[in-house]
Amino acid sequence: PKRLSAWALQYDVSIRRGKMLMALQALFKMKAIDAKDHRLFTRIVDFSQKLSSSRTSGGGQSNVIAEGVISSEFPNLMDGKSLKEFLTLTVEGVKADELTDLP
């Protein structure tokens, strides 16, 4: 699919089912279609939070290969930045955009 909404739904279903690799693939497809879309931004943050919570809680069965792929590829979605840096840069970019309707 070439529609962002299709990949957003793919992400939502995958993350609910605990299919982290499929969710990650959907994020990369979304980024290829529109890297500035708000739906991608919210899902990257969601994925990061779910990833960190699953690692701390040891949730579910973990595939070593899948963990390796996620650990090596997920930072590419955020251009190699930490979540905090990614959020800060995104906020600064939105504030700098004259077309954004923010106070």
Side-chain angles (χ1 to χ4, degrees):
K2 296 184 187 228
R3 294 180 56 185
L4 193 81
S5 58
W7 289 109
L9 288 172
Q10 175 67 37
Y11 171 83
D12 294 341
V13 170
S14 298
I15 208 74
R16 280 192 198 116
R17 292 183 176 179
K19 310 263 184 195
M20 298 299 275
L21 280 177
M22 289 179 72
L24 183 63
Q25 178 190 27
L27 291 175
F28 274 107
K29 296 288 187 173
M30 290 175 71
K31 186 175 182 178
I33 295 170
D34 186 0
K36 300 286 185 188
D37 192 274
H38 67 92
R39 293 170 287 187
L40 172 63
F41 174 77
T42 57
R43 283 167 177 84
I44 288 175
V45 172
D46 179 66
F47 188 84
S48 179
Q49 291 173 337
K50 288 195 177 6
L51 188 60
S52 65
S53 69
S54 71
R55 286 179 177 165
T56 57
S57 68
Q61 298 175 355
S62 177
N63 182 335
V64 176
I65 296 171
E67 281 291 321
V69 170
I70 291 169
S71 295
S72 67
E73 294 300 321
F74 179 62
N76 295 333
L77 277 173
M78 299 188 298
D79 300 321
K81 295 171 181 57
S82 69
L83 180 60
K84 185 175 181 179
E85 293 169 332
F86 177 71
L87 291 172
T88 302
L89 287 173
T90 303
V91 168
E92 289 171 1
V94 168
K95 286 182 178 180
D97 186 1
E98 296 176 359
L99 298 176
T100 304
D101 187 23
L102 293 175

